[in-house]
Each structure stands twice: as structure tokens, then as C-alpha cells.
Amino acid sequence: MPRSHRPAKSIRVLLAEDQGMMRGALALLLGMEEDIEVVAQVAAGDTIVDTALTHRPDVALLDIELPGRSGLDAAAELRDQVPDCRVLILTTFGQPGYLRRAMEAGAAGFLVKDGPVEELAEAVRRVLTGETVIDPALAAAALSAGPNPLTTRECDVLKASADGATVADIAAKLHLSESTVRNYLSSAIGKTGTRNRMEAMREARQQGWL
């Protein structure tokens, strides 16, 4: 809707989505709501906080998997840097582990992308009033799945294992000894019930723990 026809106080939304077609479609559909205005769009996670500081949105609508930085990491910093901005996670990845991490990062809502736009617009309105909005099926799955069994350091070494990094590479990157890295990897492999660190990393990602 043209700005001249909007209510005096529209809900200002920042949209973070790396797929251009999806981002454009969401912006167009949300912009058709009389009380919602998309004031900024970004394609990378490492630009979210600076853009929010510039545009001061009421709600940040964030994907999880973004270039540069995940939406979950950005959500945690938004909580500190732009506390008046409510965060709503909108993602294809409906794993229970992602939901738990989103709530820990201070997100006010978590929805999957296959829902109708009317539900998304209503979720934007509801989180702004202080409500927490979570996809019901995902909430039930998260309760039954239990907490992330991996420690922060175990998650760190699994993340650092990507792209064929050696134990020495991981140790140097995380400023740990090689024996400590091996211990963390062994523990993570055991907790995920896998055979090696690459399988452990894949399993942890599928569960939304990384």
C-alpha cells in the first residue's frame, strides 16, 4: 500500500532473507497489509544489526541460514543492541533444536515458511504486543525432543570441523590443544550416536543444534 494511505503508525519491519525471489515476495505481500511497512531488506546475516540500528524497525523478520552470520546469532545481538525490536524467525528449517536456540537468543516467535501470509502478518502484530508466537507442531516436537545434549565447546569444534579441517586446524582456530579437541570431538560423536565427526556434524545440524 502506498505510504500516503498507511495508518499514521505502521509496524516497521526489517526483512532478512538471502533468496532474492523469496525476499521480494515477502516484502510485497507484507507491504500490502495496511498496518505493516517493510522499511529495510537485507540478504546477509552480518548486515542485520547495523541495518536495524539505522532503520529502527519494530519487528525483525529473520531467516536462520544466511551468508555471513546466522539469523539466530543476529537475534541475540539485536536483543542487546536494539532491545525495542522484536525478532520473529521465519525459516524452512523446522527442527526443534532451532526453536530452542531461537528462544534462547531472545526471539519472540518462530514460524516455518510454508504457512499463509495472513498468519505471518498476524504473527508480526502479535509479537509487537508482547506475545510469543510459535508454530504449534514445532512447539510439540521441541518438547518431546528434549534439550541439546552438546556443550558449547562441543558445538564449536563440530562447526570448526567443516570443510575437512584437521584436528590441528581446529585447535589453532579455537586456541585449544589438539588433545582437548579430540576429547570434545569424541564426546560429540558419542552424544550424537554417530561414527565420526563428519556424521556428528551432519546429525547436529539436522537436529538444529549447530
Side-chain angles (χ1 to χ4, degrees):
M1 174 172 289
R3 182 184 295 271
S4 60
H5 293 115
R6 291 185 179 279
K9 177 59 177 175
S10 293
I11 301 171
R12 297 169 56 82
V13 172
L14 181 154
L15 179 59
E17 164 63 55
D18 63 327
Q19 297 182 24
M21 186 175 295
M22 173 66 75
R23 186 173 65 252
L26 286 172
L28 178 63
L29 291 169
L30 287 173
M32 294 174 68
E33 299 291 323
E34 292 187 2
D35 59 339
I36 296 175
E37 181 180 7
V38 178
V39 296
Q41 301 178 45
V42 299
D46 49 9
T47 61
I48 290 172
V49 174
D50 285 344
T51 303
L53 287 169
T54 299
H55 293 275
R56 294 291 171 175
D58 301 306
V59 177
L61 187 58
L62 310 181
D63 193 6
I64 291 179
E65 298 291 343
L66 293 167
R69 190 181 196 191
S70 79
L72 297 177
D73 290 338
E77 188 172 353
L78 282 174
R79 177 182 54 193
D80 298 330
Q81 298 292 324
V82 195
D84 292 336
C85 177
R86 301 282 281 173
V87 173
L88 182 59
I89 300 293
L90 180 66
T91 182
T92 305
F93 305 97
Q95 292 95 330
Y98 279 136
L99 171 57
R100 289 181 176 275
R101 289 173 59 200
M103 296 300 103
E104 291 169 357
F110 193 107
L111 297 174
V112 291
K113 290 180 180 178
D114 58 1
V117 70
E118 292 82 8
E119 288 186 7
L120 177 58
E122 186 59 26
V124 168
R125 299 181 184 104
R126 288 172 62 191
V127 298
L128 193 58
T129 66
E131 290 188 54
T132 298
V133 182
I134 300 173
D135 179 270
L138 186 58
L143 288 173
S144 63
N148 179 1
L150 301 174
T151 66
T152 299
R153 269 309 192 187
E154 288 165 355
C155 289
D156 289 341
V157 296
L158 285 181
K159 290 177 185 176
S161 296
D163 304 321
T166 66
V167 169
D169 293 334
I170 299 169
K173 181 176 182 179
L174 299 179
H175 306 290
L176 299 171
S177 70
E178 292 185 24
S179 62
T180 298
V181 168
R182 290 191 182 92
N183 288 338
Y184 282 135
L185 288 172
S186 177
S187 179
I189 290 167
K191 289 179 179 179
T192 54
T194 54
R195 296 173 297 180
N196 55 58
R197 58 177 168 152
M198 298 311 296
E199 287 187 5
M201 182 176 65
R202 283 195 295 269
E203 176 64 18
R205 282 182 171 170
Q206 288 174 359
Q207 293 295 331
W209 297 334
L210 296 184

